[in-house]
Amino acid sequence: MLRYLFLTVTTLAIVGCSNEQPQALGTLEWDRINARAIASEAIVEIYAAEGDQLEKGQQILKLDTLLQQAKVAQLEANVSVAQWQLEKLRAGYRTERVTAAEAALNAATSDRVTKDRTYQRQLELRAKNLNSQNDVDSADNRYQSSVANEKKASEELHALRAGYRTEEIEQAQAQLTAADAALRYGKLLLSRYIVTAERAGRLDSLPFKLGDKPPTSAIISTLLAGDTPWARVYLPEPWLSQVAIGDEVSIKIDGRETTLNGRIRYIASQASFTPYYAMAEDNRARLSYIAEIDLLDSDAQTLPVGIPLQMVKP
């Protein structure tokens, strides 16, 4: 008898659960803007407190910039070196160096003339059989060497007057461009050591305190932005054929007798698992679809983020 009664109660419970109507439950949300630490440096300044209403661009906190400033100074020095190297190549060689090359060419020319006369004299003496062929050959070798030296001096002077090659100047220009790009990137990183509000909104969270050294990429501030909050709800599959993007719906919130008006702005195309609070225990595996709803009532701004809510079935 007791066993029969137990089975009857269990059956009724299952039937009751199976007849339970699905609900579109969710939470109230704001646009969250998370700022992350650009580097693992200590927080040296905090300019705002949690709950403050901030304007776009208003400073929130500052990380220690000592190390990054040193890097920027090094990059600035690299740019200066590259700039002066380029100016040097564009200006060409120093006038004193060109003058010295001219003097070297004149000396080489004079030496060639002298060696030529000596060689001619040796040829004349050989014709009269007053010297040996070895004397003629030695004079000829000295003359040919002087000719080569003159040509070398002439080429060096021509190169100095022509200046540096175009390829060398273009390479220096590329090095300057690379150094300047590295400097601009370093300054950009330095500017991000001061965290500012990307949009106007309310500062919701500052998870680290003054002096803390958050890890790189850790969230160091959270801003709630936007004119009004919005609702994220989980639509049961049977409701999809009854609603569409742009439809106006009603939203119930715990503790409020009146509903809020909203307009659906997004419905997921793929199903996701419904969170535990949206379904009974034996239906937790049921799939539903995320929807985002803009709240149209101005008094929704006073509601806290994360408050549970429910979309009224259309």
Side-chain angles (χ1 to χ4, degrees):
M1 182 67 181
L2 291 176
R3 183 179 178 182
Y4 174 77
L5 180 61
F6 174 77
L7 292 176
T8 303
V9 172
T10 303
T11 303
L12 292 176
I14 295 175
V15 173
C17 290
S18 63
N19 292 332
E20 182 180 352
Q21 295 298 319
Q23 298 176 326
L25 304 181
T27 55
L28 189 76
E29 303 291 342
W30 286 82
D31 292 341
R32 289 177 176 268
I33 301 177
N34 295 322
R36 299 181 180 273
I38 192 66
S40 182
E41 297 291 347
I43 298 175
V44 294
E45 297 286 347
I46 296 180
Y47 307 107
E50 293 179 348
D52 286 354
Q53 193 69 27
L54 305 180
E55 298 296 329
K56 181 180 179 180
Q58 188 171 341
Q59 295 180 349
I60 299 176
L61 58 84
K62 178 182 179 182
L63 300 174
D64 188 4
T65 60
L66 185 61
L67 181 60
Q68 186 61 23
Q69 284 178 335
K71 292 180 181 179
V72 169
Q74 182 181 16
L75 294 173
E76 288 175 340
N78 292 342
V79 171
S80 296
V81 170
Q83 180 67 48
W84 285 114
Q85 179 66 17
L86 178 60
E87 293 298 328
K88 169 188 172 182
L89 296 180
R90 285 176 174 173
Y93 296 96
R94 292 174 60 90
T95 304
E96 295 84 355
R97 188 172 177 182
V98 175
T99 302
E102 291 175 345
L105 176 60
N106 292 334
T109 301
S110 178
D111 182 66
R112 177 188 58 78
V113 172
T114 301
K115 295 295 180 15
D116 183 33
R117 290 174 180 174
T118 300
Y119 173 61
Q120 296 300 327
R121 178 60 178 167
Q122 291 295 329
L123 286 176
E124 292 175 358
L125 292 175
R126 182 56 184 164
K128 297 177 182 180
N129 202 25
L130 297 176
N131 62 356
S132 65
Q133 185 60 40
N134 185 55
D135 293 333
V136 175
D137 293 341
S138 296
D140 183 38
N141 288 336
R142 289 191 292 271
Y143 170 68
Q144 295 299 333
S145 178
S146 68
V147 171
N149 290 336
E150 181 186 29
K151 183 177 180 181
K152 178 182 178 182
S154 176
E155 293 295 335
E156 290 179 350
L157 177 60
H158 177 73
L160 292 175
R161 286 175 174 173
Y164 292 94
R165 296 178 60 181
T166 304
E167 294 82 357
E168 293 178 298
I169 296 177
E170 291 178 351
Q171 183 182 29
Q173 179 64 64
Q175 291 174 344
L176 175 60
T177 301
D180 185 64
L183 175 59
R184 286 186 280 109
Y185 179 70
K187 288 183 176 180
L188 176 62
L189 292 182
L190 181 60
S191 68
R192 294 185 178 179
Y193 278 65
I194 298 180
V195 178
T196 60
E198 297 295 332
R199 293 170 57 186
R202 180 170 59 85
L203 183 59
D204 181 63
S205 174
L206 287 174
F208 296 94
K209 61 181 183 295
L210 190 66
D212 282 347
K213 198 172 184 179
T216 302
S217 298
I219 296 177
I220 52 180
S221 71
T222 299
L223 191 71
L224 301 182
D227 296 331
T228 58
W230 49 277
R232 178 189 286 117
V233 300
Y234 293 83
L235 295 178
E237 187 275 335
W239 290 24
L240 291 180
S241 60
Q242 304 177 41
V243 296
I245 295 177
D247 288 354
E248 292 193 4
V249 295
S250 298
I251 301 295
K252 288 183 179 181
I253 295 182
D254 292 349
R256 289 176 60 101
E257 296 182 359
T258 59
T259 60
L260 294 176
N261 297 317
R263 181 180 293 113
I264 299 176
R265 70 180 184 191
Y266 168 78
I267 299 177
S269 59
Q270 295 183 352
S272 60
F273 281 100
T274 302
Y276 69 92
Y277 55 79
M279 289 291 173
E281 181 176 355
D282 56 348
N283 288 329
R284 287 179 184 171
R286 182 176 178 180
L287 294 175
S288 60
Y289 295 76
I290 294 178
E292 296 178 359
I293 304 172
D294 290 324
L295 299 182
L296 306 179
D297 297 340
S298 59
D299 58 348
Q301 299 179 9
T302 61
L303 297 174
V305 64
I307 187 173
L309 51 79
Q310 175 183 349
M311 173 181 156
V312 179
K313 185 177 180 180

